[in-house]
């Protein structure tokens, strides 16, 4: 077939010729193109200077710092080394959480579950429980759970809960107070922990929380104080005999009685009083003990009377009934204590308090 050079064939004719001239091709399955590279759209460097930061889960350009991807999965090994944390410097490699200081034992055991495993898995679970069952650990866990629940119920800070658990463990490890109920020991530990962490609670509040009588709380408190002091002294003697130095941060400090100054902060917060009024009530509680205006009164009555005095003086008055609901004392007791403070107002009031807006000595209720 002759083709005229200067004549253009139709498009359909060219397509038919190309289809006839090319053999049939077998379609290959899809494969990922491994030649693709991620490059920085700002720098456009080839080869790209990209680093994967597993600590933050980001893919970052090392040249300009542009984040190119997030949620990067760390595919490296999970094995870690704790050479400085182990005894005898045996330098083992292991994984998992750190040991809980509130529990005894290695705590590196595996638990066999029996959910959806059938009878065989249930038998293995029972057999493992018989072998690894530790009555002491079970008792500690039950006590820790109760301490945590009691502290959470009254919104007590977590450091108080941890301190109470540590004190209970000291009692449990020494095997002391075996004849006492566990609820009584827990109530005493919570009471001491509140004082140790500078958020004191009264016997009445601990009684309302744990349902242990105030008389019983007072007894166990005194016994626990003696026990912890003896334990601390024995520990210090052992360290000194070995030629070491006693760490003051690791020793037990005997608690002091609750004073009105510490109670004023919490009561003022519950009464929604401002910071200035709270500070005045605290300073008034300190001056009160110096002057001796409320000598012999309980800290609850003294704190309530100071708040009643300071709230009226600073122009943010609270009634005796409102304060009584927070402090747990009768409004008659608050008024009686207030009369004693009002009689010594010239010695108690600081002239700097009256410079604040709304503050006026004439705001004090008349006796």
């Amino acid at each position: 077939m002759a083709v005229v050079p200067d004549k253009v064939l139709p498009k359909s004719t060219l397509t038919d010729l190309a289809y006839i001239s090319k053999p049939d091709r077998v379609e290959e399955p899809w494969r990922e193109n491994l030649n693709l590279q991620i490059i920085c759209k700002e720098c456009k460097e080839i080869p790209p200077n990209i680093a994967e930061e597993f600590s933050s889960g980001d893919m970052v350009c090392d040249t300009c710092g542009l984040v190119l991807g997030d949620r990067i999965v760390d595919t490296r090994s999970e094995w870690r080394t704790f050479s400085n944390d182990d005894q005898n410097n045996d330098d083992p490699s292991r994984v998992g959480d750190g040991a809980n200081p509130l529990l005894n034992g290695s705590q590196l055991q595996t638990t066999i579950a029996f959910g959806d495993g059938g009878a065989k898995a249930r038998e293995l679970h029972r057999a493992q429980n018989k072998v690894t069952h530790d009555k002491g650990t079970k008792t500690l866990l039950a006590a820790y759970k109760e301490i945590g629940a009691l502290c959470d119920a009254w919104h007590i800070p977590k450091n108080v809960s941890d301190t109470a658990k540590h004190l209970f463990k000291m009692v449990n490890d020494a095997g002391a107070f075996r004849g006492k109920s566990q609820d009584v020991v827990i109530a005493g530990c919570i009471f001491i922990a509140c004082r140790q962490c500078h958020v004191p609670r009264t016997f009445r509040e601990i009684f309302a929380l744990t349902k242990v009588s105030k008389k019983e709380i007072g007894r166990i408190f005194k016994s626990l104080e003696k026990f912890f002091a003896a334990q601390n002294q024995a520990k210090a003697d052992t360290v000194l005999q070995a030629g070491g130095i006693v760490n003051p941060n690791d020793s037990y400090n005997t608690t002091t009685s609750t004073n009105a100054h510490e109670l004023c902060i919490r009561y003022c917060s519950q009464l929604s009083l401002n910071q200035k009024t709270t500070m005045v009530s605290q300073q008034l509680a300190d001056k009160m003990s110096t002057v001796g205006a409320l000598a012999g009164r309980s800290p609850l009555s003294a704190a309530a009377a100071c708040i009643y005095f300071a709230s009226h003086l600073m122009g943010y008055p609270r009634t005796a009934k409102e304060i009584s609901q927070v402090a747990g004392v009768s409004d008659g007791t608050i008024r009686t204590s207030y009369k004693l403070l009002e009689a010594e107002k010239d010695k108690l009031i600081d002239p700097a308090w009256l410079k604040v807006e709304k503050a006026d000595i004439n705001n004090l209720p008349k006796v």
Side-chain angles (χ1 to χ4, degrees), residues 162-184:
D162 294 339
T163 303
K165 292 175 183 178
H166 177 67
L167 295 175
F168 183 86
K169 185 177 186 299
M170 291 174 62
V171 174
N172 185 77
D173 291 346
F177 306 103
R178 289 192 180 276
K180 290 286 185 181
S181 169
Q182 181 174 294
D183 294 337
V184 175

mmCIF file with all atom_site columns, all heavy atoms in Angstrom, residues 162-184:
data_model
loop_
_atom_site.group_PDB
_atom_site.id
_atom_site.type_symbol
_atom_site.label_atom_id
_atom_site.label_alt_id
_atom_site.label_comp_id
_atom_site.label_asym_id
_atom_site.label_entity_id
_atom_site.label_seq_id
_atom_site.pdbx_PDB_ins_code
_atom_site.Cartn_x
_atom_site.Cartn_y
_atom_site.Cartn_z
_atom_site.occupancy
_atom_site.B_iso_or_equiv
_atom_site.pdbx_formal_charge
_atom_site.auth_seq_id
_atom_site.auth_comp_id
_atom_site.auth_asym_id
_atom_site.auth_atom_id
_atom_site.pdbx_PDB_model_num
ATOM 1   N N   . ASP A 1 162 ? -2.225  9.489  99.099  1.00 0.00 ? 162 ASP A N   1
ATOM 2   C CA  . ASP A 1 162 ? -0.979  8.720  98.982  1.00 0.00 ? 162 ASP A CA  1
ATOM 3   C C   . ASP A 1 162 ? -0.260  8.623  100.324 1.00 0.00 ? 162 ASP A C   1
ATOM 4   O O   . ASP A 1 162 ? 0.305   7.577  100.664 1.00 0.00 ? 162 ASP A O   1
ATOM 5   C CB  . ASP A 1 162 ? -0.065  9.366  97.940  1.00 0.00 ? 162 ASP A CB  1
ATOM 6   C CG  . ASP A 1 162 ? -0.639  9.292  96.542  1.00 0.00 ? 162 ASP A CG  1
ATOM 7   O OD1 . ASP A 1 162 ? -1.513  8.436  96.305  1.00 0.00 ? 162 ASP A OD1 1
ATOM 8   O OD2 . ASP A 1 162 ? -0.224  10.086 95.675  1.00 0.00 ? 162 ASP A OD2 1
ATOM 9   N N   . THR A 1 163 ? -0.263  9.707  101.100 1.00 0.00 ? 163 THR A N   1
ATOM 10  C CA  . THR A 1 163 ? 0.374   9.684  102.412 1.00 0.00 ? 163 THR A CA  1
ATOM 11  C C   . THR A 1 163 ? -0.337  8.716  103.352 1.00 0.00 ? 163 THR A C   1
ATOM 12  O O   . THR A 1 163 ? 0.309   7.962  104.098 1.00 0.00 ? 163 THR A O   1
ATOM 13  C CB  . THR A 1 163 ? 0.377   11.098 103.023 1.00 0.00 ? 163 THR A CB  1
ATOM 14  O OG1 . THR A 1 163 ? 1.035   11.998 102.134 1.00 0.00 ? 163 THR A OG1 1
ATOM 15  C CG2 . THR A 1 163 ? 1.098   11.115 104.364 1.00 0.00 ? 163 THR A CG2 1
ATOM 16  N N   . ALA A 1 164 ? -1.666  8.710  103.317 1.00 0.00 ? 164 ALA A N   1
ATOM 17  C CA  . ALA A 1 164 ? -2.429  7.781  104.155 1.00 0.00 ? 164 ALA A CA  1
ATOM 18  C C   . ALA A 1 164 ? -2.146  6.332  103.772 1.00 0.00 ? 164 ALA A C   1
ATOM 19  O O   . ALA A 1 164 ? -2.036  5.455  104.645 1.00 0.00 ? 164 ALA A O   1
ATOM 20  C CB  . ALA A 1 164 ? -3.923  8.084  104.035 1.00 0.00 ? 164 ALA A CB  1
ATOM 21  N N   . LYS A 1 165 ? -2.013  6.062  102.479 1.00 0.00 ? 165 LYS A N   1
ATOM 22  C CA  . LYS A 1 165 ? -1.689  4.701  102.038 1.00 0.00 ? 165 LYS A CA  1
ATOM 23  C C   . LYS A 1 165 ? -0.301  4.284  102.519 1.00 0.00 ? 165 LYS A C   1
ATOM 24  O O   . LYS A 1 165 ? -0.090  3.131  102.930 1.00 0.00 ? 165 LYS A O   1
ATOM 25  C CB  . LYS A 1 165 ? -1.765  4.621  100.505 1.00 0.00 ? 165 LYS A CB  1
ATOM 26  C CG  . LYS A 1 165 ? -3.169  4.781  99.947  1.00 0.00 ? 165 LYS A CG  1
ATOM 27  C CD  . LYS A 1 165 ? -3.153  4.809  98.426  1.00 0.00 ? 165 LYS A CD  1
ATOM 28  C CE  . LYS A 1 165 ? -4.545  5.047  97.864  1.00 0.00 ? 165 LYS A CE  1
ATOM 29  N NZ  . LYS A 1 165 ? -4.537  5.128  96.382  1.00 0.00 ? 165 LYS A NZ  1
ATOM 30  N N   . HIS A 1 166 ? 0.648   5.211  102.451 1.00 0.00 ? 166 HIS A N   1
ATOM 31  C CA  . HIS A 1 166 ? 2.001   4.908  102.914 1.00 0.00 ? 166 HIS A CA  1
ATOM 32  C C   . HIS A 1 166 ? 2.018   4.627  104.418 1.00 0.00 ? 166 HIS A C   1
ATOM 33  O O   . HIS A 1 166 ? 2.691   3.683  104.877 1.00 0.00 ? 166 HIS A O   1
ATOM 34  C CB  . HIS A 1 166 ? 2.918   6.085  102.586 1.00 0.00 ? 166 HIS A CB  1
ATOM 35  C CG  . HIS A 1 166 ? 4.323   5.922  103.086 1.00 0.00 ? 166 HIS A CG  1
ATOM 36  N ND1 . HIS A 1 166 ? 5.186   4.971  102.587 1.00 0.00 ? 166 HIS A ND1 1
ATOM 37  C CD2 . HIS A 1 166 ? 5.014   6.581  104.057 1.00 0.00 ? 166 HIS A CD2 1
ATOM 38  C CE1 . HIS A 1 166 ? 6.347   5.044  103.221 1.00 0.00 ? 166 HIS A CE1 1
ATOM 39  N NE2 . HIS A 1 166 ? 6.259   6.013  104.121 1.00 0.00 ? 166 HIS A NE2 1
ATOM 40  N N   . LEU A 1 167 ? 1.269   5.402  105.198 1.00 0.00 ? 167 LEU A N   1
ATOM 41  C CA  . LEU A 1 167 ? 1.204   5.176  106.643 1.00 0.00 ? 167 LEU A CA  1
ATOM 42  C C   . LEU A 1 167 ? 0.554   3.829  106.947 1.00 0.00 ? 167 LEU A C   1
ATOM 43  O O   . LEU A 1 167 ? 1.008   3.099  107.848 1.00 0.00 ? 167 LEU A O   1
ATOM 44  C CB  . LEU A 1 167 ? 0.422   6.310  107.313 1.00 0.00 ? 167 LEU A CB  1
ATOM 45  C CG  . LEU A 1 167 ? 1.043   7.706  107.241 1.00 0.00 ? 167 LEU A CG  1
ATOM 46  C CD1 . LEU A 1 167 ? 0.095   8.743  107.849 1.00 0.00 ? 167 LEU A CD1 1
ATOM 47  C CD2 . LEU A 1 167 ? 2.394   7.744  107.939 1.00 0.00 ? 167 LEU A CD2 1
ATOM 48  N N   . PHE A 1 168 ? -0.493  3.486  106.216 1.00 0.00 ? 168 PHE A N   1
ATOM 49  C CA  . PHE A 1 168 ? -1.151  2.192  106.444 1.00 0.00 ? 168 PHE A CA  1
ATOM 50  C C   . PHE A 1 168 ? -0.207  1.036  106.114 1.00 0.00 ? 168 PHE A C   1
ATOM 51  O O   . PHE A 1 168 ? -0.211  0.006  106.805 1.00 0.00 ? 168 PHE A O   1
ATOM 52  C CB  . PHE A 1 168 ? -2.421  2.096  105.603 1.00 0.00 ? 168 PHE A CB  1
ATOM 53  C CG  . PHE A 1 168 ? -3.203  0.832  105.829 1.00 0.00 ? 168 PHE A CG  1
ATOM 54  C CD1 . PHE A 1 168 ? -4.129  0.755  106.861 1.00 0.00 ? 168 PHE A CD1 1
ATOM 55  C CD2 . PHE A 1 168 ? -3.004  -0.287 105.035 1.00 0.00 ? 168 PHE A CD2 1
ATOM 56  C CE1 . PHE A 1 168 ? -4.850  -0.416 107.083 1.00 0.00 ? 168 PHE A CE1 1
ATOM 57  C CE2 . PHE A 1 168 ? -3.708  -1.454 105.252 1.00 0.00 ? 168 PHE A CE2 1
ATOM 58  C CZ  . PHE A 1 168 ? -4.634  -1.522 106.277 1.00 0.00 ? 168 PHE A CZ  1
ATOM 59  N N   . LYS A 1 169 ? 0.597   1.196  105.066 1.00 0.00 ? 169 LYS A N   1
ATOM 60  C CA  . LYS A 1 169 ? 1.540   0.135  104.707 1.00 0.00 ? 169 LYS A CA  1
ATOM 61  C C   . LYS A 1 169 ? 2.586   -0.060 105.800 1.00 0.00 ? 169 LYS A C   1
ATOM 62  O O   . LYS A 1 169 ? 3.000   -1.191 106.092 1.00 0.00 ? 169 LYS A O   1
ATOM 63  C CB  . LYS A 1 169 ? 2.224   0.462  103.384 1.00 0.00 ? 169 LYS A CB  1
ATOM 64  C CG  . LYS A 1 169 ? 3.137   -0.660 102.869 1.00 0.00 ? 169 LYS A CG  1
ATOM 65  C CD  . LYS A 1 169 ? 3.716   -0.302 101.520 1.00 0.00 ? 169 LYS A CD  1
ATOM 66  C CE  . LYS A 1 169 ? 4.513   -1.480 100.953 1.00 0.00 ? 169 LYS A CE  1
ATOM 67  N NZ  . LYS A 1 169 ? 5.638   -1.860 101.818 1.00 0.00 ? 169 LYS A NZ  1
ATOM 68  N N   . MET A 1 170 ? 3.036   1.043  106.416 1.00 0.00 ? 170 MET A N   1
ATOM 69  C CA  . MET A 1 170 ? 3.992   0.928  107.519 1.00 0.00 ? 170 MET A CA  1
ATOM 70  C C   . MET A 1 170 ? 3.395   0.135  108.675 1.00 0.00 ? 170 MET A C   1
ATOM 71  O O   . MET A 1 170 ? 4.062   -0.727 109.274 1.00 0.00 ? 170 MET A O   1
ATOM 72  C CB  . MET A 1 170 ? 4.404   2.328  107.995 1.00 0.00 ? 170 MET A CB  1
ATOM 73  C CG  . MET A 1 170 ? 5.250   3.105  107.002 1.00 0.00 ? 170 MET A CG  1
ATOM 74  S SD  . MET A 1 170 ? 5.561   4.812  107.535 1.00 0.00 ? 170 MET A SD  1
ATOM 75  C CE  . MET A 1 170 ? 6.465   4.526  109.055 1.00 0.00 ? 170 MET A CE  1
ATOM 76  N N   . VAL A 1 171 ? 2.129   0.381  108.985 1.00 0.00 ? 171 VAL A N   1
ATOM 77  C CA  . VAL A 1 171 ? 1.457   -0.357 110.060 1.00 0.00 ? 171 VAL A CA  1
ATOM 78  C C   . VAL A 1 171 ? 1.284   -1.814 109.677 1.00 0.00 ? 171 VAL A C   1
ATOM 79  O O   . VAL A 1 171 ? 1.525   -2.722 110.484 1.00 0.00 ? 171 VAL A O   1
ATOM 80  C CB  . VAL A 1 171 ? 0.088   0.298  110.364 1.00 0.00 ? 171 VAL A CB  1
ATOM 81  C CG1 . VAL A 1 171 ? -0.688  -0.535 111.377 1.00 0.00 ? 171 VAL A CG1 1
ATOM 82  C CG2 . VAL A 1 171 ? 0.275   1.715  110.877 1.00 0.00 ? 171 VAL A CG2 1
ATOM 83  N N   . ASN A 1 172 ? 0.899   -2.062 108.428 1.00 0.00 ? 172 ASN A N   1
ATOM 84  C CA  . ASN A 1 172 ? 0.658   -3.440 107.980 1.00 0.00 ? 172 ASN A CA  1
ATOM 85  C C   . ASN A 1 172 ? 1.957   -4.248 107.938 1.00 0.00 ? 172 ASN A C   1
ATOM 86  O O   . ASN A 1 172 ? 1.973   -5.424 108.328 1.00 0.00 ? 172 ASN A O   1
ATOM 87  C CB  . ASN A 1 172 ? 0.002   -3.410 106.604 1.00 0.00 ? 172 ASN A CB  1
ATOM 88  C CG  . ASN A 1 172 ? -0.398  -4.792 106.112 1.00 0.00 ? 172 ASN A CG  1
ATOM 89  O OD1 . ASN A 1 172 ? -1.402  -5.345 106.552 1.00 0.00 ? 172 ASN A OD1 1
ATOM 90  N ND2 . ASN A 1 172 ? 0.384   -5.341 105.193 1.00 0.00 ? 172 ASN A ND2 1
ATOM 91  N N   . ASP A 1 173 ? 3.043   -3.639 107.459 1.00 0.00 ? 173 ASP A N   1
ATOM 92  C CA  . ASP A 1 173 ? 4.317   -4.363 107.379 1.00 0.00 ? 173 ASP A CA  1
ATOM 93  C C   . ASP A 1 173 ? 4.860   -4.712 108.767 1.00 0.00 ? 173 ASP A C   1
ATOM 94  O O   . ASP A 1 173 ? 5.499   -5.757 108.954 1.00 0.00 ? 173 ASP A O   1
ATOM 95  C CB  . ASP A 1 173 ? 5.352   -3.526 106.616 1.00 0.00 ? 173 ASP A CB  1
ATOM 96  C CG  . ASP A 1 173 ? 5.015   -3.398 105.145 1.00 0.00 ? 173 ASP A CG  1
ATOM 97  O OD1 . ASP A 1 173 ? 4.152   -4.158 104.670 1.00 0.00 ? 173 ASP A OD1 1
ATOM 98  O OD2 . ASP A 1 173 ? 5.607   -2.526 104.465 1.00 0.00 ? 173 ASP A OD2 1
ATOM 99  N N   . ALA A 1 174 ? 4.624   -3.832 109.733 1.00 0.00 ? 174 ALA A N   1
ATOM 100 C CA  . ALA A 1 174 ? 5.118   -4.090 111.085 1.00 0.00 ? 174 ALA A CA  1
ATOM 101 C C   . ALA A 1 174 ? 4.218   -5.048 111.853 1.00 0.00 ? 174 ALA A C   1
ATOM 102 O O   . ALA A 1 174 ? 4.618   -5.539 112.922 1.00 0.00 ? 174 ALA A O   1
ATOM 103 C CB  . ALA A 1 174 ? 5.240   -2.771 111.848 1.00 0.00 ? 174 ALA A CB  1
ATOM 104 N N   . GLY A 1 175 ? 3.026   -5.307 111.334 1.00 0.00 ? 175 GLY A N   1
ATOM 105 C CA  . GLY A 1 175 ? 2.103   -6.214 112.020 1.00 0.00 ? 175 GLY A CA  1
ATOM 106 C C   . GLY A 1 175 ? 1.539   -5.626 113.297 1.00 0.00 ? 175 GLY A C   1
ATOM 107 O O   . GLY A 1 175 ? 1.165   -6.371 114.216 1.00 0.00 ? 175 GLY A O   1
ATOM 108 N N   . ALA A 1 176 ? 1.458   -4.310 113.378 1.00 0.00 ? 176 ALA A N   1
ATOM 109 C CA  . ALA A 1 176 ? 0.957   -3.652 114.583 1.00 0.00 ? 176 ALA A CA  1
ATOM 110 C C   . ALA A 1 176 ? -0.570  -3.500 114.519 1.00 0.00 ? 176 ALA A C   1
ATOM 111 O O   . ALA A 1 176 ? -1.168  -3.558 113.445 1.00 0.00 ? 176 ALA A O   1
ATOM 112 C CB  . ALA A 1 176 ? 1.618   -2.288 114.746 1.00 0.00 ? 176 ALA A CB  1
ATOM 113 N N   . PHE A 1 177 ? -1.156  -3.318 115.701 1.00 0.00 ? 177 PHE A N   1
ATOM 114 C CA  . PHE A 1 177 ? -2.597  -3.071 115.849 1.00 0.00 ? 177 PHE A CA  1
ATOM 115 C C   . PHE A 1 177 ? -3.438  -4.187 115.216 1.00 0.00 ? 177 PHE A C   1
ATOM 116 O O   . PHE A 1 177 ? -4.417  -3.909 114.517 1.00 0.00 ? 177 PHE A O   1
ATOM 117 C CB  . PHE A 1 177 ? -2.985  -1.716 115.239 1.00 0.00 ? 177 PHE A CB  1
ATOM 118 C CG  . PHE A 1 177 ? -2.186  -0.565 115.752 1.00 0.00 ? 177 PHE A CG  1
ATOM 119 C CD1 . PHE A 1 177 ? -1.167  -0.009 114.983 1.00 0.00 ? 177 PHE A CD1 1
ATOM 120 C CD2 . PHE A 1 177 ? -2.414  -0.039 117.009 1.00 0.00 ? 177 PHE A CD2 1
ATOM 121 C CE1 . PHE A 1 177 ? -0.415  1.046  115.455 1.00 0.00 ? 177 PHE A CE1 1
ATOM 122 C CE2 . PHE A 1 177 ? -1.661  1.021  117.486 1.00 0.00 ? 177 PHE A CE2 1
ATOM 123 C CZ  . PHE A 1 177 ? -0.667  1.571  116.717 1.00 0.00 ? 177 PHE A CZ  1
ATOM 124 N N   . ARG A 1 178 ? -3.050  -5.414 115.454 1.00 0.00 ? 178 ARG A N   1
ATOM 125 C CA  . ARG A 1 178 ? -3.797  -6.541 114.866 1.00 0.00 ? 178 ARG A CA  1
ATOM 126 C C   . ARG A 1 178 ? -5.185  -6.674 115.480 1.00 0.00 ? 178 ARG A C   1
ATOM 127 O O   . ARG A 1 178 ? -6.110  -7.168 114.841 1.00 0.00 ? 178 ARG A O   1
ATOM 128 C CB  . ARG A 1 178 ? -3.014  -7.838 115.056 1.00 0.00 ? 178 ARG A CB  1
ATOM 129 C CG  . ARG A 1 178 ? -1.753  -7.914 114.190 1.00 0.00 ? 178 ARG A CG  1
ATOM 130 C CD  . ARG A 1 178 ? -1.178  -9.321 114.180 1.00 0.00 ? 178 ARG A CD  1
ATOM 131 N NE  . ARG A 1 178 ? 0.015   -9.407 113.354 1.00 0.00 ? 178 ARG A NE  1
ATOM 132 C CZ  . ARG A 1 178 ? 0.014   -9.584 112.037 1.00 0.00 ? 178 ARG A CZ  1
ATOM 133 N NH1 . ARG A 1 178 ? -1.140  -9.680 111.407 1.00 0.00 ? 178 ARG A NH1 1
ATOM 134 N NH2 . ARG A 1 178 ? 1.134   -9.656 111.367 1.00 0.00 ? 178 ARG A NH2 1
ATOM 135 N N   . GLY A 1 179 ? -5.328  -6.258 116.714 1.00 0.00 ? 179 GLY A N   1
ATOM 136 C CA  . GLY A 1 179 ? -6.645  -6.357 117.340 1.00 0.00 ? 179 GLY A CA  1
ATOM 137 C C   . GLY A 1 179 ? -7.601  -5.253 116.936 1.00 0.00 ? 179 GLY A C   1
ATOM 138 O O   . GLY A 1 179 ? -8.801  -5.335 117.235 1.00 0.00 ? 179 GLY A O   1
ATOM 139 N N   . LYS A 1 180 ? -7.093  -4.224 116.280 1.00 0.00 ? 180 LYS A N   1
ATOM 140 C CA  . LYS A 1 180 ? -7.928  -3.095 115.875 1.00 0.00 ? 180 LYS A CA  1
ATOM 141 C C   . LYS A 1 180 ? -8.623  -3.382 114.550 1.00 0.00 ? 180 LYS A C   1
ATOM 142 O O   . LYS A 1 180 ? -8.109  -4.091 113.688 1.00 0.00 ? 180 LYS A O   1
ATOM 143 C CB  . LYS A 1 180 ? -7.079  -1.829 115.729 1.00 0.00 ? 180 LYS A CB  1
ATOM 144 C CG  . LYS A 1 180 ? -6.542  -1.253 117.034 1.00 0.00 ? 180 LYS A CG  1
ATOM 145 C CD  . LYS A 1 180 ? -7.643  -0.569 117.822 1.00 0.00 ? 180 LYS A CD  1
ATOM 146 C CE  . LYS A 1 180 ? -7.079  0.105  119.060 1.00 0.00 ? 180 LYS A CE  1
ATOM 147 N NZ  . LYS A 1 180 ? -8.143  0.762  119.854 1.00 0.00 ? 180 LYS A NZ  1
ATOM 148 N N   . SER A 1 181 ? -9.794  -2.781 114.404 1.00 0.00 ? 181 SER A N   1
ATOM 149 C CA  . SER A 1 181 ? -10.511 -2.890 113.139 1.00 0.00 ? 181 SER A CA  1
ATOM 150 C C   . SER A 1 181 ? -9.753  -2.127 112.058 1.00 0.00 ? 181 SER A C   1
ATOM 151 O O   . SER A 1 181 ? -9.135  -1.085 112.321 1.00 0.00 ? 181 SER A O   1
ATOM 152 C CB  . SER A 1 181 ? -11.923 -2.344 113.293 1.00 0.00 ? 181 SER A CB  1
ATOM 153 O OG  . SER A 1 181 ? -12.563 -2.213 112.039 1.00 0.00 ? 181 SER A OG  1
ATOM 154 N N   . GLN A 1 182 ? -9.827  -2.643 110.841 1.00 0.00 ? 182 GLN A N   1
ATOM 155 C CA  . GLN A 1 182 ? -9.130  -1.973 109.737 1.00 0.00 ? 182 GLN A CA  1
ATOM 156 C C   . GLN A 1 182 ? -9.716  -0.597 109.479 1.00 0.00 ? 182 GLN A C   1
ATOM 157 O O   . GLN A 1 182 ? -8.981  0.337  109.141 1.00 0.00 ? 182 GLN A O   1
ATOM 158 C CB  . GLN A 1 182 ? -9.232  -2.830 108.471 1.00 0.00 ? 182 GLN A CB  1
ATOM 159 C CG  . GLN A 1 182 ? -8.527  -2.228 107.263 1.00 0.00 ? 182 GLN A CG  1
ATOM 160 C CD  . GLN A 1 182 ? -8.512  -3.156 106.068 1.00 0.00 ? 182 GLN A CD  1
ATOM 161 O OE1 . GLN A 1 182 ? -7.882  -4.209 106.096 1.00 0.00 ? 182 GLN A OE1 1
ATOM 162 N NE2 . GLN A 1 182 ? -9.217  -2.777 105.015 1.00 0.00 ? 182 GLN A NE2 1
ATOM 163 N N   . ASP A 1 183 ? -11.022 -0.429 109.670 1.00 0.00 ? 183 ASP A N   1
ATOM 164 C CA  . ASP A 1 183 ? -11.644 0.880  109.466 1.00 0.00 ? 183 ASP A CA  1
ATOM 165 C C   . ASP A 1 183 ? -11.102 1.909  110.449 1.00 0.00 ? 183 ASP A C   1
ATOM 166 O O   . ASP A 1 183 ? -10.931 3.081  110.109 1.00 0.00 ? 183 ASP A O   1
ATOM 167 C CB  . ASP A 1 183 ? -13.164 0.765  109.617 1.00 0.00 ? 183 ASP A CB  1
ATOM 168 C CG  . ASP A 1 183 ? -13.784 -0.087 108.532 1.00 0.00 ? 183 ASP A CG  1
ATOM 169 O OD1 . ASP A 1 183 ? -13.158 -0.219 107.460 1.00 0.00 ? 183 ASP A OD1 1
ATOM 170 O OD2 . ASP A 1 183 ? -14.886 -0.618 108.749 1.00 0.00 ? 183 ASP A OD2 1
ATOM 171 N N   . VAL A 1 184 ? -10.832 1.473  111.688 1.00 0.00 ? 184 VAL A N   1
ATOM 172 C CA  . VAL A 1 184 ? -10.298 2.393  112.692 1.00 0.00 ? 184 VAL A CA  1
ATOM 173 C C   . VAL A 1 184 ? -8.886  2.840  112.316 1.00 0.00 ? 184 VAL A C   1
ATOM 174 O O   . VAL A 1 184 ? -8.537  4.024  112.405 1.00 0.00 ? 184 VAL A O   1
ATOM 175 C CB  . VAL A 1 184 ? -10.311 1.724  114.083 1.00 0.00 ? 184 VAL A CB  1
ATOM 176 C CG1 . VAL A 1 184 ? -9.644  2.622  115.121 1.00 0.00 ? 184 VAL A CG1 1
ATOM 177 C CG2 . VAL A 1 184 ? -11.729 1.389  114.497 1.00 0.00 ? 184 VAL A CG2 1
#
